[in-house]
């Protein structure tokens, strides 16, 4: 029996397994401060005046093994920019997973395109790529596999169906810094891949984002788009719509210094996650998310598992989460079914969408917008955040001890 299983659960008045907090986020040192102040004192604060954004793009491209990188304001604008570069237009359809952050879908809606959901794979929490083909219609132009938690969606299958059905592939790698598919960095396998550097992400400048691609013409279209239709000097880009989605010099310089820690932090998360998976494997009713076979490295932005209440005396997940928090181990229930959120129906009923899509098409969409595996997954999923993997091995042992303790007292917790 794991230590801690015998004492009373903290939720019922016992001693918590853990009294210290988990490692804080973000982390910075003197070097980050110096670099940041240098930008401040230079008075060159925006991309057009300084060199930090250019330097960051070169560095990120090289670390990712991608020929080109465009830095943008955030992960959402990275998705919007990439969709522009792929020529996704009003009335198009784009295939997306339901187990993702809302931004993936908002980016599609920003183009007045229709997001079409394919169900999740319960074992991996990733998009079930075997179901993509059934979602393709004559209007489908692209698919957005999301590398959720920093683990890889099945890119072999995604690329195979995309090639066959002539779909563009945009990898949403917002959570996947340094994650890999068969040794290649996530976000470099499809036509394009996007990243986020928002505060919670494994590489953080408060806000920030990037678009990667091997296609220089695509990147130049994206460049012009992200700076109000103004092409890079010397680039031949057909005049088109744009926006201002530029990263600032402050964010870029912070990303440069933050990136020096990325590999070390990533290795630490990897080692801790492996230890935690081994420990959780011994607790019935806790099923850690499996990595796809081709996922040679996960970024561990989240540590996800399924909670089977049946193995915990029927203790509902919500109460399990409360009991964990009381033990000093915070966790969350993760995403709710995105494909069923009310904002989607409001969009479909909007004047614009009524003009763009026939009543028959929208009826079919509603009828086929069923993701039963994902619905169940959303009732079972539990997450730890990436910062909880940045401490020592004993932290993993305490996480497992808290779960074992709750399991040993599950019947009492269910009643109380
Ligand atoms: C964070 C995130 C985004 C959006 O990034 P922002 O920088 O917050 O705009 C998009 N997709 C996924 C999967 C994310 O986790």
């Amino acid at each position: 029996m794991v230590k801690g299983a015998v004492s009373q659960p903290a939720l019922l008045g016992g001693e918590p397994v853990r009294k210290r907090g988990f490692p804080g986020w973000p982390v910075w040192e003197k070097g980050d401060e110096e670099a940041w102040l240098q930008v401040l004192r230079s008075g060159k604060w925006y991309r057009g005046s300084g060199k930090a954004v250019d330097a960051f793009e070169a560095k990120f491209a090289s670390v990712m093994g991608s020929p080109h990188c465009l830095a943008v304001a955030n992960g959402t604008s990275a998705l919007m920019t990439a969709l522009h570069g792929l020529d996704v237009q009003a009335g198009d359809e784009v295939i997306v997973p339901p187990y993702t952050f809302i931004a993936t879908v908002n980016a599609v809606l920003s183009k007045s395109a229709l997001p079409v959901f394919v169900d999740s794979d319960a074992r991996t929490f990733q998009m079930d790529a075997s179901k993509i083909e059934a979602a393709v219609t004559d209007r489908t132009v692209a698919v957005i596999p999301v590398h959720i938690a920093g683990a890889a969606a099945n890119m072999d299958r995604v690329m195979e169906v995309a090639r066959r059905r002539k779909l563009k592939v945009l990898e949403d790698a917002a959570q996947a810094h340094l994650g890999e598919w068969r040794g290649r960095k996530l976000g470099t396998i499809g036509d394009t891949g996007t990243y986020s550097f928002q505060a919670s992400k494994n590489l953080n400048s408060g806000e920030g984002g990037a678009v990667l691609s091997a296609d220089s013409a695509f990147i130049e279209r994206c460049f012009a788009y992200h700076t109000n239709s103004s092409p890079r000097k010397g680039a031949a880009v057909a005049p088109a719509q744009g926006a201002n989605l530029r990263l600032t010099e402050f964010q870029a310089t912070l990303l440069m210094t933050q990136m020096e820690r990325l590999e070390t932090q990533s290795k630490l998360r990897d080692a801790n996650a492996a230890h935690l998976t081994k420990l959780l494997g011994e607790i019935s009713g806790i099923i850690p998310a499996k990595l796809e076979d081709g996922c040679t490295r996960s970024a561990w932005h989240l540590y996800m598992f399924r909670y089977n209440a049946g193995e915990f005396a029927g203790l509902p997940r919500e109460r399990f989460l409360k009991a964990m928090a009381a033990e000093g181990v915070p966790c969350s229930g993760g995403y709710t079914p995105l494909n069923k959120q009310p904002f989607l129906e409001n969009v479909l009923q909007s004047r614009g969408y009524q003009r763009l899509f026939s009543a028959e098409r929208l009826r079919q969409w509603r009828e086929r917008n069923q993701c039963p595996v994902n619905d169940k997954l959303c009732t079972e999923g539990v997450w730890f955040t990436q910062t909880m993997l940045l401490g020592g091995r004993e932290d993993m042992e305490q996480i497992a001890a808290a779960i074992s303790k709750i399991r040993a007292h599950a019947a009492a917790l269910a009643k109380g």
Side-chain angles (χ1 to χ4, degrees):
M1 191 184 289
V2 181
K3 217 178 111 214
V6 282
S7 66
Q8 274 296 308
L11 196 57
L12 301 180
E15 282 290 304
V17 166
R18 191 180 163 90
K19 289 182 181 143
R20 268 185 316 123
F22 283 90
W25 191 256
V27 286
W28 74 92
E29 290 160 321
K30 197 108 190 101
D32 305 73
E33 293 176 9
E34 287 301 327
W36 201 89
L37 279 170
Q38 225 176 329
V39 171
L40 181 79
R41 290 177 182 141
S42 75
K44 294 173 174 171
W45 296 351
Y46 102 108
R47 157 155 225 169
S49 57
K51 287 276 169 280
V53 176
D54 292 348
F56 170 69
E57 287 174 341
K59 173 97 180 139
F60 197 64
S62 130
V63 167
M64 302 305 287
S66 176
H68 307 287
C69 169
L70 173 73
V72 292
N74 53 59
T76 308
S77 51
L79 287 163
M80 289 164 61
T81 303
L83 289 171
H84 171 84
L86 293 175
D87 196 30
V88 171
Q89 297 191 12
D92 287 342
E93 295 183 13
V94 178
I95 293 173
V96 294
Y99 201 81
T100 183
F101 181 57
I102 190 169
T104 314
V105 168
N106 274 338
V108 174
L109 298 176
S110 78
K111 304 295 171 196
S112 299
L114 187 65
V116 175
F117 293 89
V118 303
D119 210 349
S120 302
D121 180 333
R123 293 165 313 142
T124 62
F125 289 58
Q126 307 292 331
M127 169 188 249
D128 184 343
S130 70
K131 295 181 178 156
I132 292 175
E133 187 144 32
V136 175
T137 73
D138 58 353
R139 285 207 186 184
T140 313
V141 294
V143 53
I144 309 184
V146 180
H147 303 301
I148 216 66
N154 189 326
M155 288 308 291
D156 289 355
R157 286 201 154 175
V158 170
M159 295 309 289
E160 189 277 320
V161 63
R163 271 198 202 100
R164 207 153 30 75
R165 302 304 301 262
K166 302 204 174 8
L167 308 178
K168 297 292 185 189
V169 177
L170 190 183
E171 300 173 67
D172 183 344
Q175 304 184 356
H177 315 77
L178 301 187
E180 290 177 2
W181 179 259
R182 302 199 191 285
R184 290 168 70 185
K185 293 285 184 292
L186 298 177
T188 68
I189 298 147
D191 296 279
T192 174
T194 59
Y195 275 85
S196 165
F197 312 121
Q198 185 270 338
S200 69
K201 305 289 154 84
N202 297 17
L203 179 61
N204 162 22
S205 54
E207 302 281 1
V211 181
L212 301 179
S213 181
D215 179 346
S216 58
F218 165 89
I219 283 288
E220 293 310 330
R221 284 197 298 280
C222 289
F223 184 97
Y225 178 79
H226 106 297
T227 184
N228 272 317
S229 315
S230 177
R232 198 176 345 236
K233 226 168 159 235
V237 179
Q241 182 190 21
N244 175 3
L245 307 171
R246 292 185 299 260
L247 193 75
T248 68
E249 292 284 295
F250 291 105
Q251 293 161 307
T253 206
L254 202 46
L255 287 169
M256 288 295 270
T257 53
Q258 289 286 314
M259 259 174 93
E260 287 166 24
R261 299 180 188 90
L262 189 57
E263 183 66 36
T264 314
Q265 289 169 337
S266 187
K267 285 204 171 109
L268 183 56
R269 287 189 198 97
D270 207 18
N272 276 325
H275 190 45
L276 185 57
T277 298
K278 193 174 126 284
L279 296 171
L280 299 190
E282 292 163 15
I283 308 175
S284 5
I286 301 295
I287 309 132
K290 241 175 73 59
L291 299 186
E292 295 276 0
D293 284 342
C295 180
T296 43
R297 186 176 187 183
S298 170
W300 299 108
H301 176 63
L302 302 165
Y303 187 98
M304 309 182 296
F305 62 86
R306 275 181 290 152
Y307 168 76
N308 179 354
E311 289 282 344
F312 281 69
L315 180 71
R317 182 184 63 169
E318 293 320 308
R319 185 121 172 107
F320 170 81
L321 297 174
K322 278 211 182 83
M324 287 288 282
E327 298 298 342
V329 183
C331 47
S332 87
Y335 295 131
T336 55
L338 187 56
N339 62 314
K340 290 187 170 166
Q341 285 190 20
F343 79 100
L344 280 168
E345 192 50 47
N346 287 342
V347 170
L348 261 48
Q349 285 177 22
S350 69
R351 198 168 65 246
Y353 273 72
Q354 297 279 323
R355 278 196 198 126
L356 286 165
F357 298 93
S358 69
E360 174 56 16
R361 177 64 192 110
L362 294 178
R363 190 195 61 73
Q364 278 171 9
W365 184 94
R366 288 187 185 96
E367 189 179 286
R368 294 170 68 181
N369 183 30
Q370 312 290 342
C371 298
V373 176
N374 189 65
D375 292 347
K376 180 147 185 279
L377 188 59
C378 288
T379 67
E380 295 177 342
V382 178
W383 293 356
F384 300 126
T385 59
Q386 53 98 0
T387 58
M388 292 170 70
L389 302 174
L390 288 175
R393 272 167 83 84
E394 55 306 338
D395 288 357
M396 303 306 105
E397 277 142 28
Q398 288 185 328
I399 291 173
I403 299 178
S404 292
K405 184 178 169 189
I406 289 166
R407 189 167 186 279
H409 297 274
L413 279 162
K415 261 192 257 131

